Amino acid sequence: MAFSLVQNDVEKLDRILQELLVQSEANGCLVCDYSGYVLAQQGVDAQQDPLLISALGAGVFSASRELARLLGEDKFSAVFHQGERKSIFICAVNLDVLLVVIFTNDASVGLVKLYAGPATAAMRGVLEEVRHRELTVPVPEHTFVLNDAENVFTKR
Amino acid sequence: MSFINYATREIQLKIVYYGCGLCGKTTNLQVIHEMLADESKGKLTSLATNQDRTLFFDFMPLVAEAIKGFSTKFQMYTVPGQVMYNLTRRLVLKGVDGVVFTADSQWDKMEENVESFNNLIENLSLQGDSIDKVPYVIQYNKMDLPSVAPVNYLEFLLNNRGVRHPSIIASAKTGEGVLETLNLVTRLVLNNFIKTQTGRSPAEKKNLVLM
Ligand SMILES: Nc1nc2c(ncn2[C@@H]2O[C@H](COP(=O)(O)OP(=O)(O)O)[C@@H](O)[C@H]2O)c(=O)[nH]1
Ligand SMILES: [Mg+2]
């Protein structure tokens, strides 16, 4: 099984993320799933490596959720890490997907939390459409073809 | 479960190195990181304790031109081997597309190898996957050491599920067999990806639409 996003989905997600950045005054944000796949991102520069942020973000979120479960807390939905200059806020979009927001401490976590709510709701809508489409009309017809190099990776 | 992004022309696939504590999983990723050119690899991040043992996981993105017209990103993970970190192993296995099972070939590690393999089977089934559906290779590591079991015994013990799975002899510390293992598992994962992507027949689609 694969799940896939088309141009239109990514544009919708990008727009939601852009709006979130403007409203919350955050620096970067990304949407990823628990497998660590990055679905969309805005403002996360290469130095911060979106793939790594999503791998670690999914790890941190799951670990915290497990901690919460230990405490008998099942309504747990967000993680907030405060640094000296930068902070990170992670919250669930749905059962499989997370939103990660990175902001400098000039922005306020209150603002981030406030706008993350409607942003995740809008994303849920987009993802619900994607899921519906995956179940009904399986994505654009595309035949994938392997490159014929003998080995995928070679020594430098 | 792989992820296709038609907007960025990118396919993401996830590969996990599994095996008991200290069998050589982290060493595999370190060697791969040394061997590959900069344009095919990202940073290797290890979340380890101060005794150098993997606490959370290791992570390294790789990129290849494996599928025409797309950039293929492989997300490489290792799991912590220690028995107590089972929750972390489950987290790392989520959405996995391929597994390298690294075995420590030393005689006194056989029980741990078998236990780890059974743990892999169990964790996969807990997330609704089956070991017989996930592409995997078995790597017999540490073959440079003196007190190792012979390959046919290792095969008998770990590669006995009806269909024989590809296996490779390795000595991750010296780099032997590491790249071969990587190429073998990525090949299996890619073939499986192609197969499942073309596997949905038009009839199936029609039925789904009617529902
Ligand atoms: N002799 C030998 N030692 C190895 C080999 N592979 C790994 N090691 C050593 O075994 C120890 C544990 O390796 P590590 O990669 O951290 O194991 P992990 O717990 O599976 O991540 C380290 O001291 C490695 O140097 C090998 O092929 N031969
Ligand atoms: Mg390790």
Side-chain angles (χ1 to χ4, degrees), chain B residues 106-107 142-149:
Chain B
Q106 296 177 94
W107 275 115
K142 302 204 182 182
M143 279 301 189
D144 58 301
L145 291 176
S147 53
V148 294

Side-chain angles (χ1 to χ4, degrees), chain B residues 22 24-27 46 48 52-55 58 78-82:
Chain B
L22 302 179
K25 301 174 294 290
T26 301
T27 309
S46 288
D52 242 17
R53 302 193 60 167
T54 310
L55 178 64
D58 306 303
T78 74
V79 295
Q82 297 92 306

Side-chain angles (χ1 to χ4, degrees), chain B residues 17 23 40 59 68 76 79 84 113 120 122 146 163 176 182 202:
Chain B
Y17 282 69
C23 68
S40 357
F59 173 75
K68 291 203 166 85
M76 314 297 293
V79 295
M84 61 201 261
N113 288 328
L120 168 65
E122 188 188 328
V163 188
E176 191 199 325
L182 174 68

Side-chain angles (χ1 to χ4, degrees), chain A residues 3 5 37 141 145 147 153, chain B residues 6 65-66 68 97 183 205:
Chain A
F3 102 98
L5 297 181
Y37 296 137
E141 288 299 327
V145 182
N147 280 330
F153 294 102
Chain B
Y6 287 93
E65 299 303 319
K68 291 203 166 85
D97 295 296
N183 276 319
K205 287 177 198 166

Side-chain angles (χ1 to χ4, degrees), chain A residues 1-5 35 37-38 51-52 55 62 66 135-136 138 141 145-147 149-150 152-153 156, chain B residues 1-4 6 12 14 34-35 45 65-66 68 77 87 91 97 183 187 191 197 200 205 208-209:
Chain A
M1 253 293 279
F3 102 98
S4 49
L5 297 181
S35 316
Y37 296 137
V38 182
L51 280 179
L52 183 55
S62 301
E66 216 46 61
L135 288 174
T136 50
E141 288 299 327
V145 182
L146 290 182
N147 280 330
E150 193 187 336
V152 180
F153 294 102
R156 66 167 155 200
Chain B
M1 190 180 77
S2 45
F3 168 54
I4 310 163
Y6 287 93
Q12 295 181 35
K14 179 171 182 174
E34 274 165 36
M35 280 183 175
T45 302
E65 299 303 319
K68 291 203 166 85
Y77 286 83
L87 275 175
L91 160 71
D97 295 296
N183 276 319
R187 174 69 53 206
N191 285 342
Q197 280 313 297
R200 304 191 225 174
K205 287 177 198 166
L208 282 167
V209 175

